[in-house]
Amino acid sequence: MQQLGWHIFAHFYLYLLAIIVYFCWFDSKISFWALLLMILGLTIVHFIIDLAKAPIEKLFRDTKMVHLFTYISDQILHITTIYIAVWLVFNEQITLIPAQLNNYPKFCALASLAIIIVYLIGYLIPYVLEVLMPGFNLEKKSISFTKQSGKIILTKNQEIPIVSNKELKAGRYIGGLERLLLLIFMVLQIYSAIPIIIALKTLARFKELENNRTFAEYYLIGNFLSMIFGVLISLVFIYILKL
């Protein structure tokens, strides 16, 4: 609950920063209190959605597919509530695929896509991998440990992580930077530089790919998913940039 509180706190201040920037530099005619009420409502709804996520997962047996579904649904609900809140406050017709955008909406859309490609996709891919490769990060090994009596007892077929949480976290950061570089290269139309990203990442993991088949499969599927999501979001980014 404390972690959820900090999460909601961070989102509220990001919302607050966004409306302050909008009010001070783009449109001071709109009521600041209306904007403040909007982000308070968004924060409360955000809290309710996140609070309901864990009970819903338990209700549907807490499977890998349920985790993936609730994660995607959670993000869609957050985006939808923001969309509705903006429509109610600004009382303007908003289209999903606009023909043109003013400076501030364009900036917000591009910033959102940059956050999605760097941050959100990094959390989505492990959920997808859990569905595509159940138990991909677990390997059955026989390990030994010594009791106080001095006897050595073998524990057979104990599942231990192939990739530690620390390595997964580092991989998430590397993947985010990789997709950010991919976005930059696609925007600048430097397509010939894209293979360099894959080559550098593969070189860094060469020994693990050579010695561990399970890790190699996990790595390749995760890398392909990262590139696919990165390319698709980059195309949307370029489209909005040209509006």
Side-chain angles (χ1 to χ4, degrees):
M1 183 62 72
Q2 184 179 3
Q3 186 177 2
L4 177 59
W6 281 111
H7 174 74
I8 298 301
F9 179 81
H11 273 271
F12 172 76
Y13 275 94
L14 286 173
Y15 292 148
L16 183 61
L17 178 62
I19 66 167
I20 288 174
V21 170
Y22 180 80
F23 184 80
C24 293
W25 281 280
F26 290 92
D27 187 5
S28 59
K29 295 178 181 179
I30 192 170
S31 172
F32 181 80
W33 298 109
L35 294 174
L36 186 60
L37 183 63
M38 178 185 73
I39 66 168
L40 283 172
L42 286 172
T43 304
I44 293 170
V45 172
H46 194 124
F47 174 75
I48 294 171
I49 292 172
D50 285 0
L51 193 64
K53 186 178 177 182
I56 290 174
E57 288 179 344
K58 290 181 180 179
L59 180 65
F60 291 95
R61 299 183 181 180
D62 210 17
T63 62
K64 304 300 182 184
M65 182 63 75
V66 169
H67 287 171
L68 175 61
F69 177 78
T70 53
Y71 179 79
I72 295 174
S73 301
D74 173 80
Q75 303 306 316
I76 291 174
L77 283 172
H78 290 323
I79 294 171
T80 303
T81 53
I82 294 173
Y83 189 92
I84 294 172
V86 171
W87 176 74
L88 290 173
V89 171
F90 291 91
N91 196 25
E92 294 180 357
Q93 185 177 2
I94 305 171
T95 56
L96 287 174
I97 307 177
Q100 59 181 3
L101 285 173
N102 295 326
N103 289 335
Y104 186 75
K106 180 183 287 189
F107 169 78
C108 291
L110 294 177
S112 299
L113 287 172
I115 293 171
I116 289 171
I117 200 172
V118 173
Y119 179 78
L120 188 144
I121 297 302
Y123 284 90
L124 174 63
I125 289 175
Y127 286 106
V128 178
L129 282 171
E130 286 179 352
V131 174
L132 296 177
M133 301 176 65
F136 71 91
N137 195 32
L138 294 174
E139 186 176 20
K140 290 184 178 180
K141 286 186 176 181
S142 297
I143 63 171
S144 63
F145 61 93
T146 306
K147 283 190 172 182
Q148 292 181 355
S149 61
K151 294 181 179 180
I152 298 177
I153 301 176
L154 293 177
T155 304
K156 296 183 179 181
N157 296 330
Q158 181 168 344
E159 291 185 338
I160 61 174
I162 297 173
V163 185
S164 66
N165 289 333
K166 185 177 180 181
E167 289 175 316
L168 286 173
K169 191 174 182 180
R172 188 178 294 129
Y173 291 147
I174 293 170
L177 292 173
E178 166 201 324
R179 291 186 296 275
L180 181 60
L181 282 173
L182 174 65
L183 173 64
I184 293 171
F185 290 154
M186 287 191 66
V187 170
L188 297 177
Q189 297 183 354
I190 312 176
Y191 303 115
S192 59
I194 294 176
I196 298 174
I197 303 173
I198 303 172
L200 288 174
K201 193 174 178 181
T202 305
L203 183 63
R205 296 284 193 175
F206 180 75
K207 287 186 178 180
E208 292 169 282
L209 293 172
E210 187 179 24
N211 299 328
N212 192 326
R213 180 180 177 83
T214 304
F215 176 81
E217 292 173 351
Y218 151 74
Y219 170 85
L220 289 173
I221 293 175
N223 197 50
F224 287 145
L225 286 171
S226 179
M227 294 298 292
I228 290 169
F229 285 126
V231 169
L232 292 176
I233 295 172
S234 296
L235 291 174
V236 177
F237 189 98
I238 293 170
Y239 171 78
I240 293 177
L241 189 64
K242 293 180 179 179
L243 291 178

